[in-house]
Amino acid sequence: MLDIKFIRGNWELVQEAARKKHIEFDVQKLLEVDKRRLKFLNEFETMRAEQNKASELLGSNIDSIAREKLLNDMKSLKEKISTSEDMLKKVTIEWQMLMLHVPNIPDMTVPEGESDADNVEIKSWGDKPKFDFEPKDHVELMTSLGLADFERGVKVHGFRGYFIKGDGFRLTMAIWQYAMDFWNAKGYVPILAPSICNRQSFMANGYLPQGEDDLFKTQDGQYLAGTAEVPLMGMFGDEVLENLEENPLKYVGFSFAYRREIGAHAKDVKGLIRVHEFHKWEQIILCEASHETTVKFHEEINRNTEEFIESMNIPYHTVINCAGDLGQGQVKKYDIELWVPKENKYREISSASYFHDFQTRRGNIKYRTKDGVTKFAHSLNCTAIPTPRILVSLIENYQDKDGNIVIPEVLRKYMGGQEIIKAK
């Protein structure tokens, strides 16, 4: 959410942001509703002031004729106040809903574009494997090695279902344990986060109201989160944090994650690329309201995931997302995509975004500066690593001609020294 004062003074920037992000939003309509809201608010407060003044007069020593006239005037005023209050409530609801749809302003370095096809590569790393045999995809490899059962997964879960088993599960847990140690060494506090969150947590992060169709819901009106970003940001809702300038909050949260994938029914249907239920480590930072500080941390969290991938020697490239591939609240975003040999293409594994105070205004997360001034904090998030999706690239890049999988060296100690997953 943007500050309404900023919107009033910079409405052209807001309208241009909507154009760049390909979001339908009429800033002039918001400004018109805002004017009506202020008009009704002024009228309401003026009449309330008159009512308070009349109440004071009634408590003073006035004659009976003046008292009777004042009582009649107050009765009429009370009816007007009631009508004005109803009108103010209606226009305020309309204003609030429009405010929830205002897009954030993309950074000047964000390229123009309509979709992920227009994202711009800024870095590539690693040597793509050159096989002297026809490589297999992760579904065939994992099935033949007993690492996954997709048929029974569909039988139990339905479309996009899967079981990860045996060495597949052990490999998954090795990745989790390695991620814990990796980010803990970088000063990020590990935290196990709930997946079931209330509506306000999703509203604060910007997933609602627009993204409701892509969320699983519970019977009592709560939602299942697709990332630990939601509960971790919700932790600090309606709080004033101390000493954020010197000690920004850095967390790496683990959670089960859920997405309905509405609109993607026929997209990436094979294997582990796009599933309904998964597990994810997520980096979260809350810092001072400084663009320079935010940009520094944005580079940091993205680089953290790059280093994690490099340590497992999986080829990847990093792209800067075009404006049309940014969410409503994102100022700038990087995607890291891993090489998938069988498809001969890169697949997204991580997104790193910053929001300035867009999320913290919605969640009312503030901090007190050294000078005692209260400000909205800045927020950032980045995927540390998701499972089981990383298994797609890991397994396909590390296969040999016999259908075995070599375990990346950094993961072997978490698997009791095992070096290879052999075909049985």
Side-chain angles (χ1 to χ4, degrees), residues 144-147 166-168 170 402-404 418 420-424:
S144 65
L145 291 170
L147 308 184
D167 280 343
R170 294 178 65 233
D402 297 320
N404 304 317
Q418 184 177 349
I420 192 168
I421 299 174
K422 293 184 177 181
K424 297 180 178 61

Side-chain angles (χ1 to χ4, degrees), residues 187-215:
Y188 287 71
V189 178
I191 186 167
L192 180 61
S195 297
I196 302 175
C197 303
N198 58 33
R199 184 177 180 84
Q200 173 53 29
S201 297
F202 285 87
M203 292 287 286
N205 277 53
Y207 287 98
L208 290 176
Q210 293 93 327
E212 185 140 7
D213 288 344
D214 204 32
L215 299 174

Side-chain angles (χ1 to χ4, degrees), residues 44 47 77-88:
F44 176 74
M47 287 187 286
L77 183 61
K78 185 177 180 181
E79 293 174 354
K80 291 179 180 178
I81 288 175
S82 178
T83 300
S84 177
E85 187 174 21
D86 288 342
M87 296 175 71
L88 178 59

Side-chain angles (χ1 to χ4, degrees), residues 396-411:
E396 291 195 22
N397 280 281
Y398 275 91
Q399 64 180 298
D400 66 19
K401 61 184 175 64
D402 297 320
N404 304 317
I405 306 299
V406 178
I407 298 170
E409 191 170 340
V410 293
L411 298 179

Side-chain angles (χ1 to χ4, degrees), residues 23-153:
I23 293 175
E24 291 187 11
F25 183 76
D26 186 351
V27 69
Q28 290 301 324
K29 181 178 180 181
L30 169 62
L31 294 177
E32 290 169 6
V33 173
D34 183 52
K35 286 181 181 179
R36 285 195 286 122
R37 181 185 67 91
L38 292 176
K39 174 178 176 291
F40 289 138
L41 180 61
N42 182 62
E43 291 175 354
F44 176 74
E45 291 179 343
T46 299
M47 287 187 286
R48 285 297 299 268
E50 291 178 13
Q51 187 181 48
N52 292 336
K53 184 177 180 180
S55 296
E56 290 178 6
L57 286 173
L58 281 176
S60 63
N61 190 16
I62 59 176
D63 60 47
S64 58
I65 295 176
R67 180 179 294 276
E68 184 175 355
K69 182 179 184 304
L70 190 56
L71 286 171
N72 288 332
D73 290 344
M74 285 185 68
K75 182 178 180 180
S76 176
L77 183 61
K78 185 177 180 181
E79 293 174 354
K80 291 179 180 178
I81 288 175
S82 178
T83 300
S84 177
E85 187 174 21
D86 288 342
M87 296 175 71
L88 178 59
K89 284 181 179 178
K90 290 179 181 178
V91 74
T92 299
I93 291 172
E94 184 181 3
W95 178 81
Q96 290 172 336
M97 186 55 64
L98 287 169
M99 286 290 289
L100 288 174
H101 287 79
V102 177
N104 206 352
I105 313 297
D107 189 79
M108 62 186 299
T109 60
V110 173
E112 292 269 1
E114 296 184 9
S115 69
D116 57 1
D118 300 312
N119 294 343
V120 179
E121 181 183 271
I122 57 174
K123 176 183 181 179
S124 64
W125 184 93
D127 297 322
K128 299 171 185 175
K130 296 179 180 179
F131 301 111
D132 57 2
F133 58 91
E134 180 62 31
K136 300 175 182 178
D137 68 21
H138 73 283
V139 175
E140 184 177 357
L141 288 164
M142 294 184 76
T143 300
S144 65
L145 291 170
L147 308 184
D149 192 325
F150 297 99
E151 288 187 9
R152 290 189 175 100

